[in-house]
Amino acid sequence: DQQVKQNSPSLSVQEGRISILNCDYTNSMFDYFLWYKKYPAEGPTFLISISSIKDKNEDGRFTVFLNKSAKHLSLHIVPSQPGDSAVYFCAANNAGNMLTFGGGTRLMVKP
Amino acid sequence: KAGVTQTPRYLIKTRGQQVTLSCSPISGHRSVSWYQQTPGQGLQFLFEYFSETQRNKGNFPGRFSGRQFSNSRSEMNVSTLELGDSALYLCASSPGTEGNTIYFGEGSWLTVV
């Protein structure tokens, strides 16, 4: 049973526009959420995180929103740049440092 | 500040052999965890070590094992390799308490032939 799901395998946006990546989870015990960017055969690069006691966290072009009642989080990238093209993973943490990952969304930003 | 370092980056092993992968966490980090990434199963948690003790364990067979040394460096070992063990193995480090960011290394790419 997948506890963290990213239902969109891919997303294509135009440079300068907003990219919105979504993530749903089922385990209400998750209390910390993270977003990572990943290129093939490389390790994930940390982007931004949010604690379950917050509903929004911003860092530059990246904003993460958390809706606990809906068990849903989203990552907004504004403005999108071609260098943002990669696979994005959301991850949830509830015990020590054991992350449960979603399946990833491939973002393509067109110039 | 140096990041998470994993060695070797690439290796090829034969079925039935065993392999040991090494990870040096970020200086000052006491938690080291390991993940496996395959095309079919995605990113899956293997185990986590904190202060030389295994703190969490994922759903993998006993062929997968690990350890952590007093300097927080960690190794993972896979015995009796199977073709399905071909994957990118990722090490991650964090200070250790919940709510801290978890940083990943570049990974060790294992191919079993």
Side-chain angles (χ1 to χ4, degrees):
Chain A
D1 177 36
Q2 269 190 296
Q3 296 188 64
V4 180
K5 283 186 181 179
Q6 293 176 255
N7 290 317
S8 298
S10 65
L11 173 68
S12 182
V13 300
Q14 207 66 37
E15 181 179 4
R17 305 295 289 268
I18 183 172
S19 295
I20 300 176
L21 297 101
N22 294 303
C23 181
D24 297 297
Y25 63 96
T26 56
N27 188 343
S28 57
M29 298 300 291
F30 288 140
D31 56 11
Y32 193 63
F33 303 88
L34 307 92
W35 283 94
Y36 290 89
K37 174 180 176 181
K38 191 178 183 303
Y39 297 109
E42 291 186 9
T45 300
F46 170 74
L47 287 172
I48 192 168
S49 61
I50 187 167
S51 164
S52 61
I53 62 173
K54 295 186 175 182
D55 54 20
K56 178 182 174 181
N57 189 27
E58 276 182 271
D59 186 0
R61 296 187 299 116
F62 302 94
T63 303
V64 56
F65 295 91
L66 175 62
N67 183 334
K68 282 182 65 179
S69 60
K71 293 191 178 67
H72 177 84
L73 64 155
S74 61
L75 173 68
H76 293 208
I77 306 174
V78 183
S80 300
Q81 300 172 353
D84 295 330
S85 297
V87 178
Y88 288 76
F89 288 92
C90 69
N93 192 6
N94 72 320
N97 288 310
M98 184 174 74
L99 294 179
T100 302
F101 281 89
T105 297
R106 182 179 301 279
L107 173 65
M108 291 164 284
V109 181
K110 300 177 184 176
Chain B
K1 193 171 180 180
V4 182
T5 304
Q6 290 188 245
T7 56
R9 285 296 319 276
Y10 304 94
L11 67 166
I12 300 173
K13 289 285 187 178
T14 304
R15 261 187 311 176
Q17 286 187 314
Q18 65 125 23
V19 67
T20 298
L21 308 176
S22 181
C23 173
S24 293
I26 293 170
S27 177
H29 285 192
R30 296 167 65 191
S31 165
V32 174
S33 47
W34 290 88
Y35 294 79
Q36 181 198 64
Q37 185 184 26
T38 59
Q41 299 297 321
L43 275 155
Q44 291 189 291
F45 172 80
L46 280 156
F47 30 66
E48 182 210 2
Y49 287 86
F50 179 78
S51 293
E52 301 178 66
T53 301
Q54 188 179 85
R55 185 160 70 171
N56 288 296
K57 188 176 188 306
N59 189 25
F60 278 81
R63 299 186 297 108
F64 292 81
S65 63
R67 59 177 175 169
Q68 186 180 32
F69 303 96
S70 58
N71 62 358
S72 292
R73 194 176 67 84
S74 176
E75 288 180 348
M76 70 161 282
N77 184 77
V78 188
S79 63
T80 321
L81 283 165
E82 300 176 359
L83 296 179
D85 297 333
S86 295
L88 180 65
Y89 289 89
L90 293 159
C91 172
S93 86
S94 93
T97 50
E98 272 188 60
N100 289 133
T101 299
I102 299 170
Y103 296 95
F104 284 82
E106 292 296 297
S108 292
W109 189 264
L110 170 66
T111 301
V112 182
V113 297

